[in-house]
Amino acid sequence: MVESYDFFRPKAGTYTDVVQAPAVVLSHSCDFTKYRMDEERGFSGLDMVPLIVAPVVRASQIPDAGTVGHARRDRVARYFHLPPEEPLESEDHFVDFWFMQPAAVDELLSIRRVASMTDEWQQRLHIGLDRFFSWTDRRQPLADAAP
């Protein structure tokens, strides 16, 4: 997770509104973490490959308490639940898949990285993304989903 990224949000058919939020790298996280090493090895064009990032929002930013409750139980495709652990203070947070967007590797590397997901949590995140795109049964909690 990076500290803060500028996300574009559509408003009246434009993408002029920018919202700063912590971000999670959703795709190619290994490319992100190994970018400088690959660059030193002489690989070129790595900055041409965008990564996909999504904003992280606090539970208090979601206006409907019912949605928050369902999202905590992995029943809302839009949100991926992150429990209240460091560095996310004491409040639940959610990765908001609706506002994922491409980001340049160089730009992300210039932002302070505040956390990394374990392999287990990356697997859960990818299951959540799969559910978001495939519309599979969201009544089954992610913990029970087969990888």
Side-chain angles (χ1 to χ4, degrees), residues 82-94:
L82 298 172
E85 297 175 357
E86 288 295 324
L88 299 175
E89 304 133 16
S90 61
E91 185 178 355
D92 287 311
H93 286 69
F94 297 88

Side-chain angles (χ1 to χ4, degrees), residues 34-47:
K34 297 175 184 172
Y35 175 79
R36 295 280 184 231
M37 185 172 50
D38 287 346
E39 196 174 49
E40 289 172 8
R41 290 182 187 163
F43 292 115
S44 62
L46 297 171
D47 58 337

Side-chain angles (χ1 to χ4, degrees), residues 64-90:
D64 179 40
T67 299
V68 171
H70 285 294
R72 279 188 184 113
R73 291 185 296 282
D74 302 320
R75 294 179 178 166
V76 180
R78 173 183 179 175
Y79 295 115
F80 177 78
H81 180 238
L82 298 172
E85 297 175 357
E86 288 295 324
L88 299 175
E89 304 133 16
S90 61

Side-chain angles (χ1 to χ4, degrees), residues 4-104:
S4 182
Y5 186 78
D6 290 343
F7 287 91
F8 294 95
R9 297 227 176 173
K11 184 175 182 180
T14 66
Y15 288 86
T16 55
D17 288 349
V18 176
V19 176
Q20 285 191 340
V24 170
V25 176
L26 300 177
S27 70
H28 306 88
S29 59
C30 58
D31 292 339
F32 172 56
T33 58
K34 297 175 184 172
Y35 175 79
R36 295 280 184 231
M37 185 172 50
D38 287 346
E39 196 174 49
E40 289 172 8
R41 290 182 187 163
F43 292 115
S44 62
L46 297 171
D47 58 337
M48 301 289 290
V49 179
L51 304 181
I52 305 298
V53 296
V56 175
V57 298
R58 290 181 167 87
S60 60
Q61 292 174 286
I62 300 171
D64 179 40
T67 299
V68 171
H70 285 294
R72 279 188 184 113
R73 291 185 296 282
D74 302 320
R75 294 179 178 166
V76 180
R78 173 183 179 175
Y79 295 115
F80 177 78
H81 180 238
L82 298 172
E85 297 175 357
E86 288 295 324
L88 299 175
E89 304 133 16
S90 61
E91 185 178 355
D92 287 311
H93 286 69
F94 297 88
V95 178
D96 187 348
F97 293 147
W98 271 10
F99 293 102
M100 67 177 100
Q101 65 186 42

Side-chain angles (χ1 to χ4, degrees), residues 106-123:
D106 283 343
E107 186 178 4
L108 290 173
L109 288 170
S110 69
I111 303 168
R112 187 170 79 93
R113 193 164 139 191
V114 294
S116 295
M117 285 189 179
T118 64
D119 290 342
E120 176 188 348
W121 274 94
Q122 283 186 1
Q123 183 179 23

Side-chain angles (χ1 to χ4, degrees), residues 76-78 98 128-138:
V76 180
R78 173 183 179 175
W98 271 10
L129 276 167
D130 182 55
R131 289 172 144 192
F132 176 75
F133 285 113
S134 67
W135 292 97
T136 57
D137 184 3
R138 282 173 189 55

